[in-house]
Amino acid sequence: MDKMKIRNFPFSAIVGQPQLQRALMLCAVDPGMGGVLIRGDKGTAKSTAARALADVLPQIDTVAGCAYNCSAGVVSEHCEACATGSPRLGPVPFVTLPLGATEDRVIGSVDLARALQGGQRVFRPGLLAAAHRGVLYIDEVNLLADHLVDVLLDVAAMGVNSVQREGLSIRHPARFTLVGTMNLEEGDLRPQLLDRFALMVEVAAPRDKKVRSEVVRRRIAFEADPAGFSAAWDDQQQALHRQLVQAQRLLPQVTLDDAMLDLISHLCCEFEVASLRADIVMHKASRAMAALDGRLQVTPADLRSAAELVLPHRRRRKPFEQPGLDHDRLDELMREAAPPPPAQDDAGESEDGEQTPSDEQGAEQVFAAAASASAPRIVVESTAGHSSAGRRSEAMGAARGRVVRAVPDEQPTSIAIGATLLNAAMREPGHVQVTRADLHQQIRVGKSANLILFVVDASGSMAAQRRMEAVKGAVLALLTDAYQRRDTVAVISFRGQSAHLLLAPTGSVDRAEQGLSELPTGGRTPLPHALHMALETLEKSAHRAPALMVLLTDGKANVPLAADGDAWRESLDLAGKLAQRGVPALVLDTESGYLRLGRAAQLAQTLGAECLTLEQLSADNLALTIRARLAPT
């Protein structure tokens, strides 16, 4: 049996990720802190570290057979085992929440088997009950379905799971440490859920070749002999386990004085953090830092380390400002808050005659460990479908998609078998006979994301820079509130001799900021090259999302695709192909001056698109205009 056991990579054997390990251990010291979000590229030990944590966590007292992980002496009214089971020490629950889980699987539902057997309406606990007093782990948490995000937000806020369905009214405790991993390339995380993670760690592959080779060496050794490799690290694992046990015992005694509390608030204000949860979490994280190191007093170094984990995902950022924390600014704030050294005479003695360091040395010693150790917000609403502000465009009752619930329906197109049988069992216990009145319809939710493709003339003109600034603002405005629909934005710019895919389709604000941080302008106008690239980009994304093309140009094409071609005629031909493909488009005429050729309007006519002048549009109302013209879903 031991050979069949699935083993986690030893937590103590992880190489090159000390901050990640530290963050996970802090959440183990204080499970009530709120959890940790691990953000980074693929293959950076995010999942490995999260799963490995389970093997070093201190055990908890519980009741044998209890589905709610009740503490001995704290009896749940819904738990049959609590009344008869015996107290015991058991491992901390580590529960994985699959991305495709149904709402019933997560929050719990009526036990269908017992309902069919004897007509009993008995609650079957879900994953939230199983995770109580433990860890709820979500891989790729940014891809979690919205209805499950809503559930998590409600439970995280109250610490209680409430279930009201099929004649049941159940409330049970559900307090857990939330651990999530995500890759920014696959989109951002909903802001409300992001704030629920107490700590956030950015991870990347080590850049030191010696560290990288050691990572590979240990991973290969583990895969070759998981049991043997784990046994070799057993002493280190036990040492970590003892450290966490001791830290949990020490935590209630750790103190943080008023001066440190004032500094916490000062840091949060200086970094423009809106959420008061940041102040609370930094207080808890600082105390957990001290306890983990076996100390009873929080130091400035603890506070600085906590700030690095608590503030980056909560601070307000200016347009095109990169995510993360300004460490130089943090050091400066810590130095400003350093207490003045004791008064001393010229001989370097304090008033009581003891030797003291100089002013510069004193500040250096106190904080040496610390030193070492708005784009516009536009709500994007699709005019089609059943969406609401701040929500992803979701087609309720779609033929394909995730099943989220079941409703009574005497003429269902997709029968919800479990709900149908349950209704029949409850209607006539002991004699299950399904009638039309018992039938239930599956309610599915399908994604209806949009791709918004900007095609921007960056050729030489006085207005080129203003066009780019308008595009930047609109892109970020659309992405900031597009999380719920998983909308994506792409940007093609054209100047000089060709067009370039400046921003591949993405739903990540951070990636958009990086891709649009520097937009060159000037040169000739290769309009046909841009339209050809737009056609290719839309064809590649056709299987994923409806699209809207936003073309910013004056129409003065002068660089053909063919050596002897006519650039304007090629542009009209490509516009005709886009129109045949049925791509909704919006043309923004950037032509200026007294004499105007009106070619942008001709291009719009060929595309079957509306033509507006850019003078009428700022970044704000450009986003609003695009919002109103999103492709029907």
Side-chain angles (χ1 to χ4, degrees), residues 20 35 51 136 164 298 316 360 363 453 455 482 550 613:
L20 171 56
R51 297 181 187 281
L136 184 65
Q164 307 285 337
V298 172
R316 290 177 176 171
E360 186 176 343
L453 175 62
V455 183
V550 182
T613 61

Side-chain angles (χ1 to χ4, degrees), residues 11 20 23-28 31 34-39 45-54 57 92-97 99 131 134-142 144 152 176-182 189 193 196-201:
F11 189 81
L20 171 56
L24 289 168
M25 292 177 71
L26 291 176
C27 289
V36 59
L37 175 65
I38 310 168
R39 201 165 71 171
K46 300 189 301 294
S47 299
T48 297
R51 297 181 187 281
L53 177 67
L57 292 175
V92 171
F94 190 95
V95 177
T96 298
L97 196 161
L99 293 179
V135 175
L136 184 65
Y137 172 66
I138 310 172
D139 197 12
E140 305 295 351
V141 64
N142 52 322
L144 192 65
L152 285 181
F176 44 79
T177 297
L178 189 61
V179 176
T181 63
M182 63 175 285
L189 190 64
L193 184 56
R196 284 290 169 184
F197 286 97
L199 313 176
M200 197 269 290
V201 182

Side-chain angles (χ1 to χ4, degrees), residues 352-429:
D352 59 7
E354 293 184 1
Q355 287 291 124
T356 60
S358 65
D359 288 356
E360 186 176 343
Q361 291 171 332
E364 220 172 73
Q365 290 174 6
V366 172
F367 289 98
S372 64
S374 314
R377 180 177 174 82
I378 305 296
V379 178
V380 185
E381 296 173 331
S382 174
T383 56
H386 302 280
S387 63
S388 58
R391 294 285 180 179
R392 186 192 338 170
S393 297
E394 292 183 336
M396 296 298 291
R400 302 181 66 181
R402 286 184 294 271
V403 177
V404 294
R405 63 181 64 91
V407 297
D409 189 338
E410 293 189 4
Q411 295 182 325
T413 56
S414 178
I415 297 177
I417 297 176
T420 297
L421 292 175
L422 179 62
N423 196 73
M426 292 293 98
R427 181 175 48 80
E428 194 172 351

Side-chain angles (χ1 to χ4, degrees), residues 16-21 23 36-41 44 46 182-185 188 194 199-205 308-309 312-313 317 322-325 327 510 514:
Q17 301 292 358
Q19 190 180 46
L20 171 56
Q21 290 174 289
V36 59
L37 175 65
I38 310 168
R39 201 165 71 171
D41 295 331
T44 51
K46 300 189 301 294
M182 63 175 285
N183 183 348
L184 269 177
E185 293 181 355
D188 293 307
L194 180 63
L199 313 176
M200 197 269 290
V201 182
E202 292 276 6
V203 296
E308 291 182 329
L309 297 170
H313 60 302
R317 283 187 282 150
Q322 292 303 305
L325 201 64
H327 294 276
D510 290 332
Q514 293 169 12

Side-chain angles (χ1 to χ4, degrees), residues 267-273 311 315 325-326 329-330 333:
L267 292 176
C268 291
C269 290
E270 287 295 317
F271 282 105
E272 300 183 19
V273 177
L311 298 182
R315 68 182 186 87
L325 201 64
D326 186 336
R329 177 60 176 156
L330 178 58
L333 292 171

Side-chain angles (χ1 to χ4, degrees), residues 41-173:
D41 295 331
K42 300 178 289 293
T44 51
K46 300 189 301 294
S47 299
T48 297
R51 297 181 187 281
L53 177 67
D55 294 333
V56 295
L57 292 175
Q59 292 184 316
I60 60 173
D61 65 304
T62 184
V63 177
C66 177
Y68 300 90
N69 302 310
C70 296
S71 178
V74 180
V75 179
S76 170
E77 60 179 304
H78 308 295
C79 182
E80 299 174 356
C82 285
T84 58
S86 57
R88 68 178 181 89
L89 283 176
V92 171
F94 190 95
V95 177
T96 298
L97 196 161
L99 293 179
T102 63
E103 191 171 307
D104 283 352
R105 181 73 184 95
V106 175
I107 68 173
S109 62
V110 173
D111 190 322
L112 180 59
R114 296 181 68 171
L116 291 174
Q117 291 172 2
Q120 296 177 291
R121 188 176 281 109
V122 178
F123 180 65
R124 182 182 181 183
L127 296 177
L128 295 181
H132 179 50
R133 303 179 66 207
V135 175
L136 184 65
Y137 172 66
I138 310 172
D139 197 12
E140 305 295 351
V141 64
N142 52 322
L143 302 181
L144 192 65
D146 297 328
H147 65 285
L148 297 183
V149 172
D150 292 337
V151 168
L152 285 181
L153 288 173
D154 290 342
V155 174
M158 304 299 295
V160 174
N161 180 35
S162 298
V163 184
Q164 307 285 337
R165 57 178 52 192
E166 285 98 22
L168 286 175
S169 180
I170 302 291
R171 284 170 57 89
H172 68 79

